[in-house]
Amino acid sequence: MGIMERKDSRIPMPFVDDTQGISSIKALLMILIPVIIMTITVNTGHQYSAGVVNSFESLFLGDLVKFTLWVLIPFLLMTISLGLIFGKELKGFFSGSLKKNWKLIVGIVLLGFLVSGVMSIAFKVLHIPVESNAAVKDFSLHSLGYISISNLLSLFNEEIIGLTSFIGSTILIRNIFKTSRNVSLWIGMLVSAVIFGMLHYDAYNGNIPQILLIIGSLRLVFNFSFTRSKNIVISFVCHYIYDELIFIIAVVPVLLKS
């Protein structure tokens, strides 16, 4: 058994435990396609779509355009592209049961708070600055509903990127360097953490230590929930609950001031 996997689990790690295996080219595509799509549609899209969003007199229509450009289109492009390459094999990301995982979800959320708390204290002691998330900086009462609803899909997009980079990197490392399953999984975990962190570059104003150590560490925590459950829905639920709680904690002072 590998990282955080249940000892009695007979559910294979998707793609990693495939007896036929997948090629290094496919593993590389698994890593790159979601990252490239998200980078182009979100990071670049923010620069050019702001004017389009602001041109709508209706806040609802503006939010709808924003959701479509920054959340829905990346989701569709990622799932269609991965589906064309891997087909039914993608079901492996949903192979674990959704039942009897509430303890895992609670444990992962609490572990996320523990990890981020310890890291934040360490940053404070070492006098390393910590940036607030851009969504918190730009928060308004109007944006509360939009953020809560759009996060249902945007955080699933993040899980797609986090887990495809984890699984793809694991396979690529094992194919190239002939490392053991466990060593490959650990390296895949770390690569996934770096990629996931760097995708938050703009959200945290380019604060590299925070991106790699705090955000990257949280990616490891969410990956653990997947290796334990073998189901992307479980890791998404953990991610969503954690992010929503963190967001509420962060905006409460803003609401009180207003």
Side-chain angles (χ1 to χ4, degrees), residues 54-189:
N54 293 334
S55 67
F56 286 94
E57 294 182 4
S58 168
L59 291 175
F60 172 76
L61 287 176
D63 283 345
L64 184 61
V65 171
K66 190 162 57 174
F67 175 80
T68 302
L69 292 174
W70 302 346
V71 181
L72 182 59
I73 289 178
F75 170 76
L76 293 175
L77 290 177
M78 285 191 292
T79 52
I80 291 172
S81 300
L82 292 171
L84 290 173
I85 296 172
F86 298 102
K88 293 182 179 179
E89 293 177 279
L90 290 177
K91 289 183 179 179
F93 283 103
F94 300 87
S95 56
S97 173
L98 294 176
K99 299 178 181 178
K100 299 179 181 179
N101 273 309
W102 67 269
K103 290 182 180 179
L104 173 64
I105 293 170
V106 172
I108 289 294
V109 171
L110 291 176
L111 181 60
F113 275 100
L114 176 63
V115 169
S116 61
V118 169
M119 285 292 184
S120 297
I121 292 171
F123 271 48
K124 188 172 183 179
V125 170
L126 296 173
H127 303 290
I128 302 174
V130 175
E131 293 285 335
S132 296
N133 188 291
V136 176
K137 291 180 180 178
D138 302 331
F139 173 77
S140 66
L141 282 175
H142 158 68
S143 67
L144 181 60
Y146 169 77
I147 291 172
S148 298
I149 295 172
S150 66
N151 273 356
L152 284 169
L153 190 56
S154 64
L155 292 181
F156 194 83
N157 287 346
E158 290 190 6
E159 283 306 298
I160 293 175
I161 293 174
L163 295 179
T164 53
S165 60
F166 164 43
I167 297 297
S169 299
T170 297
I171 296 169
L172 193 61
I173 292 297
R174 190 167 65 175
N175 285 355
I176 294 174
F177 298 104
K178 310 302 179 184
T179 50
S180 68
R181 182 181 185 274
N182 281 355
V183 169
S184 302
L185 285 170
W186 273 113
I187 296 174
M189 282 273 193

